[in-house]
Amino acid sequence: MPDRRRRRSLSIFRPPLAPLTPINDEPPNSAPTTLKKRRPTSIDQADPPASTPTDAGISRSNSKHGLDRLVSMKRGTRPSSLFGSLRSLPSLHDENEELTKSASSPSSLSSVGPAIPDVAAGMVIHHGALPEVGPMFRRRCPYLVLTDNHLIQFKSQDRASEIFPAVPRLGGQPASGSSGQARPNSVRHSRLSSTSSVFELQSSSEGLHSIPLLNVVAVHKLDDGEPYFSIEVAYFNDDTNHASTITLQIHDPGESDSWLIAIRSAASSARSTTSVPFSQSLVEHTARALEQEQDYDPHHFHMFKVVQRANKSGKRSSSDDLTKLTSKICILAIGLFKVHLVPLPKTSRTSSSTSLSELNGTSHGIATLASVKVQTFDDSFQLWFRRPFQSSSALHLAALCVNEVVLWLRQAAEFLRPEWTEQPFAWMVPQTLDDELLPVPAEGEEHGYFDRTLTAYCAAYGINTSTIRYQINYSCEDAPAFELLPITGAGRIKYNSMELLAILRALRYNESFGTICLSQTALDPLHGLYDEYGWEHTPWTTRSGETVELENQQKASVLIQEIRALAVKSKRLRRFDFSDCLTRRPSSAGTLPDVGCGICEALFPLCAKQYTNVDWIILNGIMLSDVDIDYLYAAAISKDPHFRAIEVSNCGLADRSFLAILQALSHQGSTLECVNFSSNFARLEPLNMREYLDELAYIRKVDFSNTYRTSGPEPLLELRTLVGWKLEVLDLSRTSINTETLQAIAAYLRSPQSQVLRHLRLNQCGLTGGNVADLLQAMSDPGPFRDLHLHINENHLEQGHDRLAKAISQSLSPLYVTMEMLEYKDENNFRLLVQAWTQNTSTRYLNMSKVSLPSEAGNETIAALESLLGDNQILESLNIAGEQAHLEVANFGSGICRALTGLQRNKSLKLLHVEHQKLGMPGANALASILEENDTLEYLHCAGNGFTLQAFTVIVRSLANNRTLVHLASMEEDRAVAIKKVDREIDQVRESGLRSLTMPTKATVNTVKRSIGSAVSGQLPFSNRGSGSPQTQKKPHSDKELAGMMDTIAENWQREMAVMQTYLTRNRYLAKKRVAAAEEEEQEQASTRTSLYGSKDATPMGEPDRQLTLTDKDDDDEVLDEGDEGMEEALMMSEKLTLE
């Protein structure tokens, strides 16, 4: 099938469909037949779009024509009806001769109304008596004739015979003037009954009423039960917007099948030769209905005329009950995310506009489609939709274009879930339809169409998509990682069950993510929740089609089924992170048996039977019960899963469960890369752990932080165990370390096996300065400048501090050192530490934040800090931030502003943290002078320093002469504090009686004016610019003026933030150009060196083009590309702001 993409408009219609391959599923007592190709009734373009089927008609019958089937059904048998056969065909001279339709010309057209010529021009296909439901005694019965273009009702058989000579008179005599085409006496006719007494379409005064076959919407059996076999014919006139139905009540099933086949075949043939477009008013009516549901997209819009069938089963004793079964014609529209049943517009309305009340129909999300069933013997079909935790809703429909409807619906479902190899709904259709599936339009989207699928589920479940937040992490292991972020919305703290289901089901079959991180996302709404109404989302097979054989799969909770589906439906997924996603606690003894967290039950049986590629499972923060540990143990004890890691930090493990898990993990020694038992109740017993840890030959990460250990002289980790590993991360923070353990770590650092170690975390381990000095000496023995990040936060470094300072000054420290929250009782020791770091030449990253001193830093300490910032030309990142908490404050005092001036001569520092140091206006002036002089600083974090709008403005304006800073804190915290301060002062003024009848004092008015004036203008306070006239000083501000001033403050903050972003955008662009110029210059130099050494006639390298470098700040325009209009605009704006 050709690849067809999108539709472009609503008012143009597509060409007819060609026939599909016939099927063999036929109704009882029927012979094979073939329906001719149909004209599609779905709206489309004149030029067929890429996603539209071409001249492919839909047929669901077998190989013979409908007329042949009628013949084969009658041949050789006596009719069961009182009036014999319903064949309205030429005479049979030989039983084996094939019958064809005969063209009948009317005997007389002069006495017939103007509609008769069109009606009589057709060929008779079927005919029979049709007595009306009503009085018992009638001399004449209405007569029904089916031609190749009309279904006609006459007052009598004689009247039908006058128009169509092929119809015999009651006595078997041919009509007068019939050209000799008389019917033999042996032909008999069945008698039919109908609930419709009048045909409203194309009626005439001569007793002729007809339905054009082009107007037929559906022909289907009526579910009325015995003893009748009724057929319902629904029709709709687009010109008049008139819809109606006629019911043929037949006593014989064979005759019922004959009429059903004949009418369907004739209607399909008529549509295959003539286009039946939708009226523009009907198209607009349907489009408005979809717009009301926010589901209208012109590229994903299909509409069909269908019949919403009456669904009633059982037997009726009389034909009067037929009137109680009413079907209605409506529009079935397939939008982008939903299926809609739109009522027809009211025929009484003459205006072109449509009221909203006429648009009310039913809508179902395509993502909730549970089953599709197409009947083979008529035009009926059923659609079932089911939302989670609800019973299914069925739509009993019928349409001549039933195959088109289900094919477009299948394409819409696959478009919303393009990565799904198996759609989650039952597809009960003829086999031939699977060969005619429409191609899904190819539209490139990132992350495996995750956004599209998520939006589809949100639309189906009635979820606001704006509340769901996530990010994609490309810089982690097993990247890219899908990371679900906290929910947004007023008063919302966690996702509900429907939102979680939408997210998890959108992630199924997604091959874009190697990691799914649900950390900090509460999955409690799904824990212990069961959906008893259906199992269409249960993962019965893997992505490759292998059957998932697990016990009680159907009885599992929703949480278990969704996690299993994620694991088995993706081959790329390797890692799950469920950290802190469940707040449940295992039930205590004596109550009902604990069912476990559900995650272990979902994943570990899959891993044990190798149904999934997931091999890194993070369960941190989830309280595990005995049931969970049993699942974990049973999977890990087998070598088939090949686990890389099972992290169980803060899982409430006791001694027994800890050893059980460690023993099971030792069987994964050939693949295990990470062991994380931190923050558990278990006590670490080195003698019991040793034999299990020695089995882990490929371990990379070990985390025993925040745990207890038994007392004893043996080390927690022996040297022979450490050297047997290739550790990258060793974390023993907040774990007691004895001397033997420290000696084993020092010996390990001296060994060559430690060269791959990148993180050594010994926070709050009771280390002294001498202990840290020993570690620094050990890690420098193989060679200086160790690429290692050493964490020694919250240790008592004043003991043996001289040794530590000496080791640092001798440059024995690694490239990265973090020593936060150090508490010094003697300021001199801290000053010695600062001086040691000034002399250090091995560390590039230093974090000395939240240092606590007995008092504000003295002049000597400030001078040491100023020297560190100005004289150390090795540091690239420095963090000297303070701490501002309710119970604890840590900062260097007012002298820090003077220390910051050392940055004016620094040529190496790129990142500086100086938050919460109470810099105020003096600090803002110091930072402004630094930014104007420093040409290496790229990132400045200075929030939380009490900056007012005036101070922020000073810093922002200094960026006009700075070309290197690419990040500056937005000062949101300072902005909130400043506005709150002004608001509090205004309240104080009101309380003091500023607006009372008593005249306010001069001092009170001036205080308010200074605060507001400084905040609004961003300039100096009023008191520094003159006091003004006495009349102005005494005049108080009204409430309206105060509110306007507060709005002005907010607007000025926003303006300054916009100016700041303009300067930073310019600097980012210039930084990108500098990098590109450096790379190009390096390539030119390499090319020139190759030319010089490779040929004697090589030309020496000339001077680099100055346009490729940014040595002059005035040459910014020379580096602009012609296509970078946004960056050029930013540069022009920055230059304009500089001039201002």
Side-chain angles (χ1 to χ4, degrees):
M1 183 174 291
D3 184 16
R4 293 172 288 273
R5 301 298 175 102
R6 295 183 175 180
R7 293 177 297 162
R8 297 184 293 274
S9 66
L10 292 175
S11 59
I12 310 176
F13 304 88
R14 67 169 180 265
L17 303 178
L20 293 178
T21 307
I23 64 171
N24 297 321
D25 191 5
E26 294 296 333
N29 301 327
S30 62
T33 184
T34 299
L35 301 182
K36 291 186 178 180
K37 63 180 181 179
R38 301 174 177 168
R39 176 70 55 179
T41 57
S42 170
I43 179 171
D44 221 315
Q45 294 86 342
D47 297 330
S51 61
T52 306
T54 57
D55 300 336
I58 309 297
S59 176
R60 293 175 291 109
S61 305
N62 213 320
S63 57
K64 289 188 177 182
H65 192 276
L67 298 176
D68 299 332
R69 179 173 180 176
L70 292 175
V71 174
S72 62
M73 292 175 58
K74 302 295 181 180
R75 190 171 294 167
T77 60
R78 288 188 57 82
S80 59
S81 172
L82 176 65
F83 292 93
S85 171
L86 278 173
R87 286 198 318 253
S88 181
L89 305 172
S91 301
L92 298 177
H93 300 288
D94 188 356
E95 280 192 358
N96 297 326
E97 181 180 357
E98 183 178 0
L99 290 177
T100 58
K101 293 182 290 185
S102 61
S104 302
S105 59
S107 59
S108 176
L109 297 177
S110 58
S111 62
V112 183
I116 293 181
D118 294 337
V119 171
M123 294 182 294
V124 175
I125 297 176
H126 221 57
H127 61 91
L130 184 66
E132 294 190 23
V133 177
M136 294 180 59
F137 301 100
R138 288 181 180 269
R139 291 185 178 182
R140 294 184 178 182
C141 297
Y143 203 80
L144 194 64
V145 177
L146 173 66
T147 70
D148 58 352
N149 51 27
H150 284 80
L151 182 63
I152 314 153
Q153 175 192 350
F154 294 92
K155 287 186 176 180
S156 64
Q157 183 175 350
D158 292 341
R159 180 58 177 155
S161 179
E162 294 177 1
I163 304 300
F164 296 102
V167 179
R169 293 182 178 274
L170 283 176
Q173 300 296 326
S176 61
S178 61
S179 301
Q181 294 184 4
R183 307 294 295 177
N185 294 333
S186 60
V187 179
R188 301 181 180 182
H189 311 282
S190 293
R191 181 169 297 177
L192 311 173
S193 61
S194 170
T195 58
S196 298
S197 60
V198 177
F199 282 72
E200 291 84 359
L201 300 179
Q202 296 188 6
S203 63
S204 70
S205 60
E206 298 295 330
L208 181 149
H209 309 280
S210 66
I211 302 175
L213 294 184
L214 292 178
N215 293 347
V216 174
V217 177
V219 183
H220 63 95
K221 289 187 174 181
L222 195 63
D223 186 15
D224 60 344
E226 296 179 359
Y228 306 108
F229 302 92
S230 303
I231 299 172
E232 185 176 73
V233 181
Y235 53 94
F236 175 76
N237 192 325
D238 290 271
D239 297 331
T240 62
N241 283 338
H242 178 84
S244 185
T245 61
I246 178 175
T247 303
L248 309 180
Q249 185 178 345
I250 307 173
H251 297 267
D252 183 78
E255 302 296 346
S256 175
D257 292 342
S258 300
W259 273 103
L260 181 67
I261 296 169
I263 299 175
R264 290 180 64 211
S265 177
S268 299
S269 299
R271 287 179 175 271
S272 65
T273 58
T274 306
S275 176
V276 186
F278 288 92
S279 64
Q280 187 65 26
S281 60
L282 188 58
V283 172
E284 294 176 355
H285 170 80
T286 307
R288 287 195 62 193
L290 267 66
E291 286 179 348
Q292 186 178 356
E293 292 288 332
Q294 299 180 352
D295 191 40
Y296 175 71
D297 184 347
H299 301 296
H300 301 276
F301 174 68
H302 304 275
M303 55 183 294
F304 309 89
K305 300 172 196 171
V306 299
V307 177
Q308 190 170 9
R309 298 184 290 116
N311 184 30
K312 180 179 179 181
S313 60
K315 300 181 180 180
R316 293 189 303 274
S317 58
S318 68
S319 61
D320 295 337
D321 290 335
L322 284 171
T323 57
K324 300 178 182 179
L325 287 177
T326 58
S327 300
K328 62 179 181 180
I329 299 176
C330 55
I331 299 297
L332 185 143
I334 302 177
L336 181 57
F337 300 114
K338 296 180 180 180
V339 175
H340 310 264
L341 281 182
V342 182
L344 296 174
K346 294 181 180 178
T347 56
S348 60
R349 295 188 61 87
T350 58
S351 175
S352 59
S353 62
T354 305
S355 64
L356 293 179
S357 61
E358 296 179 12
L359 303 178
N360 295 329
T362 59
S363 299
H364 300 274
I366 297 176
T368 62
L369 183 64
S371 180
V372 178
K373 184 177 181 180
V374 176
Q375 302 295 343
T376 58
F377 49 83
D378 63 2
D379 294 333
S380 62
F381 64 102
Q382 295 85 34
L383 303 177
W384 283 270
F385 298 88
R386 196 182 75 84
R387 295 181 65 177
F389 317 112
Q390 298 179 9
S391 59
S392 60
S393 299
L395 297 181
H396 299 274
L397 308 172
L400 277 175
C401 55
V402 52
N403 290 347
E404 299 174 60
V405 173
V406 297
L407 287 176
W408 282 114
L409 182 58
R410 175 66 180 259
Q411 188 209 51
E414 292 180 348
F415 175 80
L416 298 178
R417 291 181 289 236
E419 295 292 309
W420 289 49
T421 59
E422 182 181 357
Q423 293 295 326
F425 53 81
W427 181 247
M428 296 177 289
V429 301
Q431 182 63 36
T432 53
L433 284 183
D434 289 333
D435 301 330
E436 299 294 334
L437 294 179
L438 302 176
V440 179
E443 298 181 6
E445 292 184 15
E446 294 182 339
H447 311 132
Y449 306 92
F450 173 74
D451 286 342
R452 181 195 300 180
T453 307
L454 177 60
T455 306
Y457 275 108
C458 289
Y461 296 167
I463 298 171
N464 183 5
T465 56
S466 63
T467 61
I468 299 176
R469 298 168 54 243
Y470 70 91
Q471 66 181 10
I472 309 300
N473 188 352
Y474 293 93
S475 59
C476 61
E477 295 183 2
D478 297 324
F482 172 86
E483 298 178 353
L484 186 61
L485 301 178
I487 193 172
T488 60
R492 299 293 303 276
I493 59 175
K494 63 180 180 179
Y495 295 100
N496 58 37
S497 59
M498 300 297 286
E499 292 166 338
L500 291 173
L501 284 180
I503 297 169
L504 296 178
R505 289 175 179 176
L507 287 170
R508 287 194 190 186
Y509 290 94
N510 195 299
E511 293 292 313
S512 299
F513 305 123
T515 299
I516 292 180
C517 178
L518 303 177
S519 177
Q520 308 296 325
T521 300
L523 299 180
D524 298 272
L526 297 181
H527 183 268
L529 191 63
Y530 296 86
D531 191 350
E532 301 177 353
Y533 296 96
W535 301 275
E536 63 271 12
H537 285 280
T538 302
W540 303 108
T541 60
T542 64
R543 187 181 182 91
S544 58
E546 181 182 2
T547 302
V548 177
E549 298 179 357
L550 296 176
E551 295 182 0
N552 299 324
Q553 171 84 330
Q554 186 172 325
K555 298 180 180 179
S557 67
V558 174
L559 176 62
I560 295 174
Q561 291 186 1
E562 293 303 321
I563 294 176
R564 284 178 177 173
L566 292 178
V568 302
K569 298 299 184 180
S570 175
K571 294 183 179 180
R572 184 176 181 180
L573 185 63
R574 300 292 304 277
R575 185 187 302 236
F576 269 121
D577 188 353
F578 296 103
S579 300
D580 301 305
C581 67
L582 288 174
T583 59
R584 63 173 295 279
R585 292 292 185 270
S587 58
S588 59
T591 61
L592 294 177
D594 189 83
V595 296
C597 67
I599 299 175
C600 297
E601 181 181 355
L603 288 178
F604 289 119
L606 297 177
C607 296
K609 295 188 177 183
Q610 295 183 310
Y611 289 138
T612 178
N613 292 331
V614 174
D615 53 14
W616 196 303
I617 303 174
I618 304 176
L619 304 173
N620 301 336
I622 301 176
M623 296 294 106
L624 302 180
S625 65
D626 293 339
V627 175
D628 299 318
I629 295 174
D630 290 342
Y631 281 113
L632 191 158
Y633 185 87
I637 204 71
S638 172
K639 295 184 179 181
D640 294 333
H642 306 294
F643 286 115
R644 291 186 297 149
I646 300 178
E647 301 188 35
V648 287
S649 172
N650 191 25
C651 291
L653 301 181
D655 295 347
R656 179 176 174 274
S657 55
F658 164 72
L659 286 178
I661 296 177
L662 185 59
Q663 177 189 2
L665 292 180
S666 65
H667 291 78
Q668 306 292 322
S670 59
T671 57
L672 201 67
E673 300 178 11
C674 175
V675 172
N676 184 358
F677 288 98
S678 62
S679 302
N680 282 294
F681 304 130
R683 294 174 299 173
L684 304 180
E685 299 182 6
L687 296 179
N688 295 335
M689 296 166 46
R690 185 180 306 164
E691 62 174 310
Y692 302 131
L693 295 178
D694 290 343
E695 297 292 333
L696 309 178
Y698 297 94
I699 204 74
R700 295 190 297 116
K701 301 179 180 180
V702 173
D703 189 351
F704 287 123
S705 62
N706 196 25
T707 55
Y708 301 98
R709 59 153 294 169
T710 58
S711 59
E714 61 277 349
L716 179 61
L717 297 173
E718 291 187 348
L719 176 60
R720 69 184 183 91
T721 301
L722 291 172
V723 297
W725 294 339
K726 294 183 179 180
L727 286 180
E728 296 178 6
V729 178
L730 177 59
D731 193 348
L732 300 177
S733 300
R734 295 177 296 280
T735 299
S736 178
I737 296 179
N738 57 11
T739 304
E740 289 75 14
T741 302
L742 199 60
Q743 291 175 354
I745 295 175
Y748 170 68
L749 292 175
R750 294 188 183 94
S751 66
Q753 287 80 0
S754 68
Q755 291 299 312
V756 296
L757 187 64
R758 293 294 175 263
H759 294 271
L760 178 58
R761 299 189 180 100
L762 301 173
N763 302 322
Q764 202 174 348
C765 290
L767 301 181
T768 64
N771 297 143
V772 176
D774 292 337
L775 294 177
L776 296 181
Q777 182 67 44
M779 67 179 62
S780 64
D781 284 349
F785 308 109
R786 175 72 74 92
D787 187 7
L788 172 69
H789 195 155
L790 177 63
H791 301 258
I792 50 174
N793 305 334
E794 300 182 79
N795 283 297
H796 307 295
L797 301 184
E798 281 194 292
Q799 183 179 353
H801 194 273
D802 295 339
R803 292 182 57 197
L804 173 61
K806 181 179 179 180
I808 293 174
S809 63
Q810 293 177 351
S811 302
L812 302 180
S813 58
L815 289 178
Y816 308 90
V817 176
T818 297
M819 43 196 325
E820 294 182 354
M821 302 183 70
L822 299 181
E823 185 174 354
Y824 280 91
K825 298 179 180 179
D826 188 352
E827 184 181 338
N828 294 328
N829 289 331
F830 178 70
R831 184 173 67 252
L832 292 175
L833 180 66
V834 173
Q835 293 172 351
W837 283 119
T838 304
Q839 302 173 19
N840 183 277
T841 59
S842 61
T843 298
R844 303 290 186 270
Y845 171 95
L846 176 60
N847 185 348
M848 289 196 307
S849 61
K850 305 177 184 179
V851 174
S852 178
L853 300 178
S855 60
E856 288 190 359
N859 293 332
E860 295 181 356
T861 303
I862 294 299
L865 287 172
E866 192 270 342
S867 178
L868 172 64
L869 294 172
D871 299 336
N872 187 312
Q873 302 299 324
I874 300 298
L875 281 175
E876 297 179 3
S877 174
L878 177 63
N879 190 340
I880 54 173
E883 182 179 17
Q884 185 70 35
H886 293 289
L887 301 178
E888 187 174 355
V889 177
N891 58 71
F892 296 131
S894 58
I896 186 64
C897 300
R898 178 160 52 90
L900 291 176
T901 58
L903 289 172
Q904 294 177 345
R905 59 181 188 273
N906 188 285
K907 300 300 180 183
S908 65
L909 199 63
K910 297 180 180 179
L911 185 149
L912 176 64
H913 285 269
V914 66
E915 299 101 324
H916 301 292
Q917 288 290 354
K918 293 186 177 181
L919 297 180
M921 191 64 199
N925 291 327
L927 291 176
S929 62
I930 292 168
L931 293 176
E932 292 179 350
E933 298 293 334
N934 187 286
D935 58 357
T936 59
L937 194 63
E938 298 178 1
Y939 301 89
L940 177 59
H941 300 268
C942 56
N945 280 291
F947 290 142
T948 61
L949 176 59
Q950 178 184 357
F952 183 44
T953 302
V954 169
I955 297 175
V956 170
R957 299 304 174 177
S958 67
L959 295 176
N961 299 322
N962 183 286
R963 296 295 194 274
T964 58
L965 195 72
V966 296
H967 174 82
L968 179 63
S970 60
M971 313 295 182
E972 287 290 346
E973 180 181 351
D974 299 81
R975 171 191 175 186
V977 172
I979 293 179
K980 186 176 181 180
K981 179 180 179 181
V982 174
D983 189 52
R984 184 169 59 251
E985 291 182 355
I986 291 175
D987 292 339
Q988 291 176 356
V989 169
R990 288 171 176 168
E991 293 175 0
S992 64
L994 181 61
R995 303 200 52 231
S996 63
L997 296 176
T998 306
M999 183 62 65
T1001 63
K1002 178 179 179 180
T1004 304
V1005 177
N1006 286 339
T1007 300
V1008 177
K1009 286 188 174 182
R1010 283 197 300 270
S1011 301
I1012 297 178
S1014 176
V1016 171
S1017 65
Q1019 300 175 359
L1020 295 177
F1022 281 92
S1023 59
N1024 296 342
R1025 296 185 287 130
S1027 59
S1029 61
Q1031 292 80 4
T1032 303
Q1033 294 173 358
K1034 293 183 179 180
K1035 184 178 180 180
H1037 293 286
S1038 64
D1039 287 343
K1040 185 176 181 179
E1041 290 175 336
L1042 294 175
M1045 291 178 181
M1046 294 297 295
D1047 293 339
T1048 304
I1049 294 174
E1051 292 175 0
N1052 287 347
W1053 272 100
Q1054 291 293 340
R1055 176 174 56 83
E1056 293 301 324
M1057 292 175 66
V1059 173
M1060 179 188 71
Q1061 290 301 327
T1062 301
Y1063 286 131
L1064 296 179
T1065 302
R1066 175 202 63 185
N1067 292 352
R1068 294 188 192 103
Y1069 175 72
L1070 297 177
K1072 180 180 178 182
K1073 284 295 184 180
R1074 284 193 294 269
V1075 172
E1079 292 177 352
E1080 185 174 351
E1081 182 179 359
E1082 183 179 355
Q1083 293 177 359
E1084 289 183 358
Q1085 291 177 355
S1087 176
T1088 303
R1089 286 195 299 269
T1090 303
S1091 177
L1092 286 173
Y1093 289 104
S1095 174
K1096 295 181 180 180
D1097 298 330
T1099 304
M1101 181 179 62
E1103 182 180 358
D1105 190 353
R1106 289 182 58 84
Q1107 292 184 357
L1108 300 179
T1109 59
L1110 291 177
T1111 58
D1112 191 350
K1113 294 180 180 179
D1114 296 331
D1115 295 336
D1116 295 337
D1117 294 340
E1118 297 179 2
V1119 301
L1120 290 174
D1121 291 337
E1122 294 181 359
D1124 295 335
E1125 298 178 357
M1127 291 300 180
E1128 184 175 1
E1129 182 179 354
L1131 284 174
M1132 295 176 61
M1133 179 62 70
S1134 65
E1135 296 299 335
K1136 180 179 178 181
L1137 293 172
T1138 303
L1139 293 176
E1140 292 177 353

